[in-house]
């Protein structure tokens, strides 16, 4: 009952005052051409909806695969063509959200898919999606985008065949950037790390836990990947030392080889001194310290302020306010990312088709500044501008109100809220729950075929 109450309270507290009312009107660009960068989930969903509307588009993908980060690759560093490996997938990864929130609109997940599928199962689903909608014919595989610039009121996109080295340049009316932000590691600056004689990697290059058998491993960071990799490695390590400053209260009972520590003060040759003065001998370090926003192909003429921590200013978390024929997908944090990407793809397609008109530049900046001012008033970093969190369902409602796209059901946000609490309760058991949607507002959560609760 307490869980149900907390979910209902969080929903009631959503502030709808900041939604931007907009009367849907049409503004049509004759025969628009669209460049979609990347063939991950963002690029594939964009391709599907653009194709359905008969819009001319090309998807540029640097690898020979669809699926982006969802494709596991045992290699680290660069691929066979010398390009950086973008996938951050690891061997034992399972989704950290249940399958109803991982489903792409109009393409049901298989009934036998586990509630929290492995990367392998989910990647097969993405491949099936691309095949079902016949998207590969629109994708130029092994073509890497090297420059996007705005000239003479058009987008000029320069890209290179990664096998032959041949370069091309085309002009487009719209650009949809779908390369994500989970591929460029963010490393902390640790004093005296250069003296440490053990191994140091980022979670981006973490592949499997077996190599850490009987080792003394330090994991830095307590985000989703930090907690997941901690549990993965703890099954094999002699000692798992976990350094973080998260204020989130996890109720998980960790194994006896788990040692919680505060932030790192400094390294020496064989271990780490922590801020509380304690010391641990360490063999290996895994930084689970997040990723940078990294779009090296975007020229200054694109009009975005790019930093490792943020991409600004964006209207509706995606539209480039200074050049609103560019959309940057998937920057939302603390949301059902697959659901959000699908909704953003439909919004972007409606924008390209001319189903609605964006507010003026000043109105969009005013909306963005309101959000930024709230973050600054709380003393939070500007990187929080990408957080949806408790405003996730409000966001979906605003996309529908403005563009006329089908509304993301409120039940998605409710499932994420309950799943978040389940993670806090026990990181070892939250994937044991099965979530079944009853209608747009209601779902049932079960455990071992027993009804747990029906939540509206």
């Amino acid at each position: 009952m307490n869980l149900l109450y907390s979910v209902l309270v969080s929903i009631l507290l959503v502030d709808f005052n900041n939604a931007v009312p907009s009367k849907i009107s049409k503004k049509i660009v004759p025969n628009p051409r669209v460049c979609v960068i990347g063939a991950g989930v963002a690029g594939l969903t964009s391709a599907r909806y653009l194709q359905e509307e008969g819009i001319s588009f090309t998807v540029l993908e640097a690898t020979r695969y669809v699926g982006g980060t969802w494709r596991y690759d045992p290699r680290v560093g660069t691929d066979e063509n010398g390009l950086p490996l973008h996938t951050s997938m690891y061997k034992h990864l399972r989704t950290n959200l249940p399958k109803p929130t991982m489903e792409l609109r109009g393409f049901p997940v298989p009934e036998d898919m586990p509630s929290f599928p492995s990367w392998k199962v989910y990647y097969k689903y993405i491949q099936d999606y691309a095949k079902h909608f016949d998207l590969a014919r629109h994708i130029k595989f092994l073509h890497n985008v090297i420059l996007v610039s705005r000239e003479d009121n058009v987008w000029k996109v320069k890209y290179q065949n990664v096998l032959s080295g041949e370069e091309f340049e085309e002009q487009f009316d719209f650009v949809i950037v779908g390369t994500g932000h989970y591929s460029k590691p963010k490393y902390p600056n640790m004093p005296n790390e250069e003296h440490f004689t053990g191994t140091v990697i980022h979670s981006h290059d973490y592949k499997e836990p077996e190599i850490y058998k009987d080792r003394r491993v330090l994991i830095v960071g307590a985000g989703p990947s930090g907690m997941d990799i901690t549990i993965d490695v703890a099954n094999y390590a002699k000692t798992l030392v976990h350094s973080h400053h998260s204020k989130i209260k996890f109720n998980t009972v960790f194994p006896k080889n788990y040692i919680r520590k505060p932030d790192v003060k400094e390294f020496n040759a064989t271990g780490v001194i922590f801020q509380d003065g304690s010391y641990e001998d360490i063999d290996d370090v895994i930084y689970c310290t997040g990723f940078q926003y990294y779009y090296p192909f975007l020229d200054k003429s694109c009009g975005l302020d790019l930093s490792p921590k943020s991409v600004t200013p964006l209207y509706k978390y995606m539209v480039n306010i200074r050049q609103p024929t560019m959309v940057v997908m998937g920057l939302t944090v603390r949301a059902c990312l697959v659901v959000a990407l699908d909704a953003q793809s439909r919004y972007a397609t409606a924008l390209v088709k001319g189903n609605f008109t964006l507010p003026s530049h000043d109105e969009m900046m005013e909306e963005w500044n309101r959000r930024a001012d709230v973050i600054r008033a709380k003393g939070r970093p500007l990187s929080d501008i990408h957080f949806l969190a408790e405003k996730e369902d409000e966001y979906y409602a605003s996309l529908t109100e403005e563009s006329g796209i089908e509304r993301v059901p409120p039940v998605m946000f409710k499932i994420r809220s309950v799943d978040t609490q389940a993670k806090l309760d026990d990181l070892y058991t939250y994937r044991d729950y099965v979530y079944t949607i009853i209608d747009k507002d209601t779902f049932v959560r079960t455990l071992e075929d027993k009804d747990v609760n029906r939540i509206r």
Side-chain angles (χ1 to χ4, degrees), residues 135 205 236 251 319 334 339 347 377 429:
L135 301 179
D205 293 327
Y236 294 87
N251 296 317
V319 177
R334 296 186 186 174
V339 172
Y347 178 97
T429 63

Side-chain angles (χ1 to χ4, degrees), residues 263-297:
D263 288 348
V264 172
K265 181 179 180 181
E266 62 179 330
F267 280 79
N268 63 23
T270 58
V272 172
I273 301 170
F274 298 92
Q275 291 292 348
D276 62 358
S278 63
Y279 173 81
E280 292 288 339
D281 287 318
I282 299 294
D283 298 311
D284 310 283
V285 177
I286 305 173
Y287 288 132
C288 298
T289 47
F291 294 86
Q292 301 178 36
Y293 294 97
Y294 186 62
Y295 301 94
F297 50 84

